[in-house]
Amino acid sequence: MTALEKYITTFFGEIPETDLKTIVSLFKHTTMKKGDYLLQTGKVCERLSFVHEGLLRQFVATPEKDITQWISTSGYFSGDLSSFVTEAKSELTIQALVDTEISYISKHDYKLLGEWVPKWHEIEKGFIIKCFIMMEQRIYRHLSMTAEERYEYYFEHNKELFNQVPLQYIASMLGMSPETLSRIRKKANS
């Protein structure tokens, strides 16, 4: 079983093997170089990507600063789901922070899943629900936790990123300044 197949079955539950093979067959594999863009602000998101290896940073550029929304690591999907579904222009930019291997499905091929996989609409509903739950939990943590608690939670679940990603991106994602993150890290390490 490939990493993508494992992720799909872990995330969505049991899917008949023939349907799983059909789903995975519509994904194409590619490598992105550090600095390459998966999506740029103002463009419609035309594909959803699964990260095999590497890091993709999702961010919004404002006149004052870039705000990191998420960093996709191995085993996660990346894309602007809202833009992908509604075909609205994206406010996000998605960029490879390191050389990154992905598998992606185009909007065209994604639409074929509804025709080729009998229970696709059920599977898709499960995917969207899980995305919504993850976002809801993240918002709750952001609103209910102190800066120190957000740092501790994120560090506990993403230790490897602290050596791979510029700390200003992590600080932005956690809703704090780089100086605050530095102070919290120093306090946590003492």
Side-chain angles (χ1 to χ4, degrees):
M1 187 176 278
T2 67
L4 181 56
E5 289 171 335
K6 285 179 191 172
Y7 182 82
I8 290 171
T9 55
T10 300
F11 201 71
F12 302 111
E14 284 302 311
I15 298 173
E17 191 167 337
T18 55
D19 290 345
L20 183 60
K21 296 289 183 202
T22 300
I23 293 167
V24 172
S25 74
L26 292 172
F27 279 79
K28 294 173 181 55
H29 190 83
T30 192
T31 301
M32 298 174 63
K33 295 287 184 199
K34 178 182 178 179
D36 286 353
Y37 292 96
L38 182 67
L39 177 65
Q40 290 183 289
T41 302
K43 306 281 185 189
V44 173
C45 183
E46 295 291 338
R47 59 189 188 178
L48 290 179
S49 301
F50 176 80
V51 179
H52 290 281
E53 186 98 13
L55 302 167
L56 295 175
R57 175 180 171 237
Q58 294 182 193
F59 65 96
V60 176
T62 69
E64 300 82 37
K65 62 183 175 180
D66 290 350
I67 301 168
T68 300
Q69 182 192 52
W70 187 253
I71 297 170
S72 295
T73 58
S74 299
Y76 283 92
F77 279 93
S78 186
D80 182 342
L81 190 58
S82 174
S83 174
F84 188 76
V85 170
T86 66
E87 298 183 3
K89 291 180 180 178
S90 180
E91 294 180 15
L92 291 176
T93 296
I94 304 176
Q95 186 177 32
L97 294 178
V98 297
D99 290 352
T100 302
E101 285 184 51
I102 62 169
S103 289
Y104 67 90
I105 187 167
S106 69
K107 179 78 173 178
H108 174 269
D109 289 346
Y110 185 85
K111 288 178 180 179
L112 291 176
L113 290 172
E115 299 170 28
W116 294 1
V117 177
K119 292 189 175 190
W120 175 248
H121 297 294
E122 243 177 77
I123 296 166
E124 179 184 46
K125 182 179 175 184
F127 174 70
I128 292 171
I129 288 169
K130 291 227 181 190
C131 290
F132 179 78
I133 290 169
M134 287 172 58
M135 186 180 301
E136 195 173 58
Q137 289 171 340
R138 187 163 174 236
I139 291 168
Y140 174 75
R141 284 191 301 271
H142 195 75
L143 294 174
S144 67
M145 293 177 164
T146 66
E148 289 84 2
E149 290 169 334
R150 286 194 309 271
Y151 166 80
E152 287 172 14
Y153 180 87
Y154 193 76
F155 182 76
E156 197 59 38
H157 292 87
N158 301 281
K159 288 178 185 167
E160 72 286 351
L161 284 185
F162 283 79
N163 295 322
Q164 299 175 38
V165 175
L167 291 180
Q168 73 259 24
Y169 297 162
I170 293 173
S172 174
M173 193 168 60
L174 295 176
M176 60 184 77
S177 69
E179 295 79 19
T180 300
L181 178 63
S182 181
R183 179 181 49 78
I184 291 169
R185 287 188 69 189
K186 188 176 183 179
K187 185 178 171 183
N189 292 330
S190 60

